[in-house]
Amino acid sequence: MIPFPKARQRPGSSFKVSYLSETLLRDGRALESDKLIAVVRYGAGLDPLPIACPVASVALPAFSQETPVEVWTSTTPVTVENRNGIRYAFNGQTLFGVLEVEESDPVSLDALTCDVYKIILHLLEEEGYPHLLRMWNYIQDINEDQNGLERYRLFCLGRHNAFVKLGSEFERTLPAASTAGTREAGMTVYFIASREPGTPFENPRQVSAYRYPPKYGPRSPSFSRAMVKHWGTQSHFFLAGTASIIGHETRHAGDVERQLTETLHNIRALLKYTAESEGVDFQADAVESLFKVYIRRAEDFPLVRQILVRELGETTPILYLRGDICRSDLLVEVEGIYVA
Ligand code: 3EB
């Protein structure tokens, strides 16, 4: 009998992320694995998965026949916990957590967001994984007004109010992030944190989001443009949601093709700058690199896909989601995890 080839050992790495068909996940032994960190599912009205690890449900529909699931696997066994409303798993190097909350009437979105972030920061401190690397936030009706303020701006206010409690230097260690709008009730936040800090990066073509001027809301968005983390032999580059913003201003309102071209310029500039300062060359088409794209208008999908496949490579995994973007004049946003 020919032995099944063993997965290549990657000493010093911590986890791997991939898009998998849900059928494969349900059929295979993956579900019972003690190395499953988390599963992220996309779409509305999902039936439960018989699975012990944290599951995040993101109510954004994918542009594909069978929506893939995002599977996070550890190189070493994980411990799964559920505390303070956070479902989380950790492996000695990283901690992955999920929080899903309902919004109830008397509590405004800024107060709810502040609570959610405080709970997360507190848990990470207690568990000994105090360094947030990357966060994903999904909020209902992100561009709608509530009490006279856009809900994204309320979210930014609440997030800022939680982070500022970390001290006056909090902006130097902010995680990379994505924040997108759904049409379903509730808020889903998931995140990855580590025992040892990563290195945040800013984009040379853009004003840091945490320094956006007040015309974009009472408090600036608290995130970094990218986070780099080295794990022994392997390195991750977490690209935050990136859009057609130069300086602090939206470019090419109404034109998805130009917005995407500008977005790709932004990504290349950030990668070049990071490569020079970290001495690591992150490639979109490297093994294990993967991407996610938020598209506001369904009709833009074919063009967006055509341009991105050309830019990122035919075989690079890209998940396309129909979602609202933080600024109402943005039509497309690209994020990714690069592995080197
Ligand atoms: C931008 O660059 C576009 O508030 O968490 C991108 C990524 C955006 C993350 C966030 C917002 C966020 O300002 C919007």
Side-chain angles (χ1 to χ4, degrees):
M1 204 177 107
I2 302 164
F4 193 72
K6 266 205 183 145
R8 190 149 51 106
Q9 289 295 313
R10 284 189 174 268
S13 72
S14 180
F15 60 85
K16 175 185 155 145
V17 194
S18 48
Y19 298 137
L20 215 71
S21 102
E22 187 168 313
T23 318
L24 253 177
L25 181 72
R26 282 179 187 270
D27 290 352
R29 274 172 304 176
L31 280 179
E32 286 134 47
S33 166
D34 63 349
K35 293 187 180 147
L36 261 188
I37 301 175
V39 173
V40 185
R41 309 170 81 199
Y42 300 91
L46 304 164
D47 37 289
L49 266 183
I51 200 168
C53 75
V55 177
S57 295
V58 174
L60 297 178
F63 292 95
S64 47
Q65 292 289 350
E66 198 200 2
T67 306
V69 288
E70 181 182 307
V71 181
W72 292 66
T73 44
S74 173
T75 44
T76 52
V78 303
T79 306
V80 173
E81 300 274 6
N82 186 347
R83 200 141 60 89
N84 302 342
I86 307 182
R87 303 189 302 276
Y88 58 102
F90 50 89
N91 68 0
Q93 285 183 295
T94 54
L95 183 150
F96 184 108
V98 182
L99 227 117
E100 292 175 339
V101 290
E102 295 303 315
E103 278 188 63
S104 55
D105 251 350
V107 184
S108 87
L109 184 56
D110 57 317
L112 179 70
T113 305
C114 188
D115 282 351
V116 161
Y117 269 71
K118 279 183 183 163
I119 290 168
I120 292 171
L121 293 171
H122 181 73
L123 180 95
L124 294 178
E125 199 58 53
E126 282 205 323
E127 289 288 1
Y129 295 80
H131 306 286
L132 272 169
L133 299 176
R134 182 56 166 107
M135 307 200 67
W136 287 264
N137 308 286
Y138 299 96
I139 301 156
Q140 181 185 10
D141 300 329
I142 200 167
N143 301 128
E144 298 292 313
D145 277 3
Q146 193 176 339
N147 310 323
L149 207 58
E150 185 190 36
R151 282 167 54 78
Y152 173 59
R153 298 176 181 207
L154 289 170
F155 167 80
C156 286
L157 176 59
R159 177 171 57 177
H160 175 99
N161 288 342
F163 273 128
V164 84
K165 295 270 194 301
L166 295 176
S168 56
E169 301 279 275
F170 78 98
E171 287 164 342
R172 287 149 157 259
T173 57
L174 286 171
S178 295
T179 301
T182 71
R183 303 287 165 83
E184 304 290 322
M187 175 170 169
T188 295
V189 176
Y190 72 90
F191 55 88
I192 175 140
S194 55
R195 283 212 190 278
E196 302 299 328
T199 310
F201 280 88
E202 292 303 305
N203 195 313
R205 302 180 90 219
Q206 299 182 306
V207 170
S208 295
Y210 50 81
R211 301 232 171 96
Y212 283 170
K215 74 167 178 172
Y216 300 102
R219 288 290 179 275
S220 304
S222 312
F223 70 95
S224 294
R225 300 295 182 184
M227 181 68 78
V228 171
K229 183 75 182 78
H230 304 294
W231 320 90
T233 55
Q234 198 177 44
S235 303
H236 281 113
F237 174 87
F238 296 97
L239 173 67
T242 305
S244 178
I245 294 175
I246 300 292
H248 56 74
E249 274 164 353
T250 299
R251 290 286 170 91
H252 321 298
D255 186 334
V256 74
E257 183 168 358
R258 286 191 153 150
Q259 283 199 13
L260 185 53
T261 304
E262 199 72 78
T263 299
L264 295 175
H265 277 308
N266 282 341
I267 293 173
R268 284 188 219 111
L270 177 56
L271 270 175
K272 184 163 179 279
Y273 174 64
T274 309
E276 282 162 8
S277 102
E278 288 289 288
V280 181
D281 193 16
F282 292 100
Q283 299 287 345
D285 58 0
V287 181
E288 293 184 25
S289 291
L290 81 179
F291 293 82
K292 199 174 296 163
V293 186
Y294 305 94
I295 301 172
R296 184 183 293 276
R297 308 182 304 207
E299 65 266 29
D300 292 335
F301 164 62
L303 181 59
V304 167
R305 176 172 58 182
Q306 190 194 323
I307 295 169
L308 281 177
V309 167
R310 200 188 321 142
E311 173 77 14
L312 301 175
E314 294 275 349
T315 57
T316 301
I318 309 173
L319 177 59
Y320 301 90
L321 300 170
R322 220 294 313 149
D324 296 332
I325 294 149
C326 299
R327 285 188 190 179
S328 49
D329 52 9
L330 290 172
L331 298 173
V332 64
E333 186 176 301
V334 179
E335 62 168 66
I337 301 176
Y338 295 67
V339 185

